[in-house]
Amino acid sequence: EALAGNLITMCLNELEESDPVLRQWLAICLGRIWDRHENARWRGARDNAPERLYTLLSDPVPEVRAAAVYALGTFLNSCGSRSDHANSLDQTIGLRLLQKTLDDGSPLVRCELVVALQWIVYSFLPNFMNLCRSLQ
């Protein structure tokens, strides 16, 4: 029903609101919509959701940044079938998350980052295993 009612589009359109609590809950809502729901993930991708959420990674309120990391992490978690496009999108999200939040001063944001990055490791486990073997 959330897809039919264009809830993703409505949430994305409101992300620039001045109220930080609203921005936080919009990001959480997006994360809940596409968590393990591939159709919602691709609807979000068509609406450029990752790019829109990246702006929240620089928000002055740590809870908003953490909510954006959560939403991007669940976006990573919602890919059932791997394709070149899905891999490229997930790798871009993972890199952007690392670039923007690795040195974040908020422990809440860094905790959400670890949770989000587990999905990158899980999705690309053979690549990480090869990397670990090459480091020995």
Side-chain angles (χ1 to χ4, degrees), residues 51-102:
E51 290 291 329
R52 312 266 302 269
L53 286 166
Y54 294 153
T55 61
L56 296 183
L57 296 176
S58 301
D59 198 275
V61 179
E63 290 82 3
V64 174
R65 296 192 307 272
V69 174
Y70 165 78
L72 289 165
T74 59
F75 190 90
L76 295 170
N77 180 32
S78 60
C79 186
S81 58
R82 294 286 223 189
S83 66
D84 288 341
H85 179 57
N87 290 344
S88 174
L89 183 60
D90 288 354
Q91 289 168 2
T92 301
I93 292 170
L95 286 173
R96 186 70 65 94
L97 281 170
L98 282 171
Q99 291 168 343
K100 290 286 210 169
T101 60
L102 187 61

Side-chain angles (χ1 to χ4, degrees), residues 20-128:
V21 176
L22 178 59
R23 290 193 308 271
Q24 174 187 353
W25 283 103
L26 288 168
I28 291 169
C29 179
L30 287 167
R32 296 288 297 158
I33 291 170
W34 55 54
D35 189 20
R36 296 185 195 107
H37 193 274
E38 194 163 10
N39 290 338
R41 169 195 162 96
W42 290 115
R43 172 71 62 91
R46 279 192 298 273
D47 286 348
N48 218 13
E51 290 291 329
R52 312 266 302 269
L53 286 166
Y54 294 153
T55 61
L56 296 183
L57 296 176
S58 301
D59 198 275
V61 179
E63 290 82 3
V64 174
R65 296 192 307 272
V69 174
Y70 165 78
L72 289 165
T74 59
F75 190 90
L76 295 170
N77 180 32
S78 60
C79 186
S81 58
R82 294 286 223 189
S83 66
D84 288 341
H85 179 57
N87 290 344
S88 174
L89 183 60
D90 288 354
Q91 289 168 2
T92 301
I93 292 170
L95 286 173
R96 186 70 65 94
L97 281 170
L98 282 171
Q99 291 168 343
K100 290 286 210 169
T101 60
L102 187 61
D103 295 329
D104 195 288
S106 169
L108 181 62
V109 174
R110 293 191 311 269
C111 181
E112 286 297 335
L113 175 64
V114 171
V115 173
L117 291 179
Q118 78 173 329
W119 302 116
I120 291 287
V121 173
Y122 180 75
S123 297
F124 301 101
L125 190 58
N127 301 51
F128 280 96

